[in-house]
Amino acid sequence: MIHASTPEKPSSETKVKLWDFPVRLFHWALVAAVVTAWWSNQQVMIDIHAIAGYSVLTLVIFRIIWGFVGSSNARFASFLAGPKRVLGYAAKVPKGTAAELTYAGHNPAGGWMVAVLLLLVAVQAVSGLFTSEDTFLFFDGPLVAYASSDVASTMNWIHHNNINLIYAAVGLHVFAAFFYLVVKRENLITAMITGARKVPTELAGMFAKIRFASPLLGIGILVLCGLLVWGGVTLARG
Ligand code: HEM
Ligand code: HEM
């Protein structure tokens, strides 16, 4: 079958830098932490589950801050587009050329996917702080003691149900990454690992406009977020 949508191989390609180090570290650490939280729950290892959850919380707080002070293409303002642009982009996906579908950051549809993923993992991590297991693990999240039983039971419910939304969103997200790889021949996955990507030379200009923030600033903010979460949990546990 001939794919009408398969972009023609451009005559020349240029390697461009796309994602800063803090964004890449954030992404793969988030994947590791979410998978560890899921896996440790299967293994009934609640201490590891809690640590993985605090790590997710740390990473999400970091990413929210980085969404305001990070590299230009990591900022929310640069990738959360209005409905018109999102729908316009989605309509172009099936037949679009590289020139129409390439962005020096998240595309308008992907940008909202990012926001949804961040929100869902944030809800999971925060609700976990209020979640208890009192049948055989006898474990209380660190904020259970500060919440009314109504709040705690609502959070418990959210923690046990929101995970299904995470499965769906992550499934769609990974499907989209492979869709771009296989159908559109755009390797966004390697770009999230190495930070670089090959694009048709005539599109390289938009990547030259990215303003990269200092990676050290990113690491510093991430460490502070970790200290904040660790300190908060320690304080709450008394
Ligand atoms: C627990 C699973 C995952 C979660 C929660 C997750 C979450 C996210 C988030 C929040 C971003 C935005 C990155 C940023 O701007 O900081 C992102 C981007 C991305 N993720 Fe994931 N991810 C997951 C798994 C994966 C996997 C397994 C792959 C590879 C197959 C993948 C490939 C990508 C790619 C390619 C991007 C960049 C998309 C673009 O170019 O716009 N993700 N992911
Ligand atoms: C994003 C991070 C997290 C993920 C992905 C996650 C995932 C899960 C999942 C899948 C379950 C089982 C739900 C079910 O069986 O219906 C669960 C249960 C639970 N989680 Fe989390 N969780 C996270 C963070 C946390 C945090 C931060 C805490 C508390 C420190 C926590 C405490 C608990 C407790 C107490 C249970 C109940 C255990 C049980 O019923 O066996 N979780 N979590």
Side-chain angles (χ1 to χ4, degrees):
M1 183 181 122
I2 298 167
H3 289 279
S5 57
T6 304
E8 281 172 25
K9 197 105 190 95
S11 48
S12 80
E13 288 191 319
T14 303
K15 199 170 178 182
V16 290
K17 185 163 188 264
L18 175 58
W19 300 119
D20 63 29
F21 176 72
V23 164
R24 289 177 279 142
L25 176 67
F26 157 79
H27 183 267
W28 298 111
L30 181 68
V31 175
V34 169
V35 170
T36 303
W38 171 83
W39 171 83
S40 57
N41 178 69
Q42 306 286 311
Q43 305 295 316
V44 202
M45 293 159 84
I46 193 68
D47 293 339
I48 293 182
H49 186 77
I51 292 169
Y54 304 146
S55 307
V56 170
L57 192 61
T58 300
L59 289 163
V60 171
I61 298 173
F62 158 76
R63 187 60 184 88
I64 292 170
I65 300 174
W66 203 239
F68 292 99
V69 306
S71 301
S72 57
N73 64 351
R75 296 192 183 196
F76 298 123
S78 76
F79 67 76
L80 294 181
K84 233 173 148 178
R85 279 186 57 207
V86 175
L87 293 175
Y89 175 84
K92 277 191 214 144
V93 169
K95 296 199 170 165
T97 59
E100 288 172 311
L101 299 181
T102 302
Y103 281 75
H106 299 300
N107 66 53
W112 283 103
M113 180 87 246
V114 170
V116 167
L117 282 166
L118 276 177
L119 183 73
L120 291 177
V121 294
V123 165
Q124 191 68 14
V126 170
S127 62
L129 303 176
F130 297 89
T131 296
S132 303
E133 203 296 321
D134 355 286
T135 50
F136 67 105
L137 292 170
F138 302 103
F139 177 91
D140 278 347
L143 299 185
V144 171
Y146 303 88
S148 68
S149 62
D150 271 3
V151 167
S153 73
T154 304
M155 289 294 199
N156 214 74
W157 184 88
I158 291 174
H159 199 70
H160 284 79
N161 288 279
N162 182 62
I163 187 68
N164 295 314
L165 298 180
I166 295 184
Y167 293 150
V170 168
L172 186 63
H173 173 64
V174 174
F175 173 82
F178 281 100
F179 169 82
Y180 276 89
L181 182 66
V182 175
V183 179
K184 308 306 284 184
R185 306 278 159 87
E186 302 279 358
N187 194 340
L188 306 178
I189 303 169
T190 309
M192 204 23 107
I193 301 170
T194 64
R197 190 183 155 183
K198 275 194 188 141
V199 296
T201 301
E202 65 268 25
L203 300 179
M206 69 169 103
F207 292 84
K209 290 191 191 126
I210 302 170
R211 280 170 290 104
F212 287 101
S214 150
L216 273 180
L217 174 70
I219 305 296
I221 296 173
L222 182 59
V223 170
L224 284 178
C225 292
L227 288 174
L228 185 83
V229 169
W230 175 76
V233 168
T234 310
L235 215 69
R237 289 262 185 235

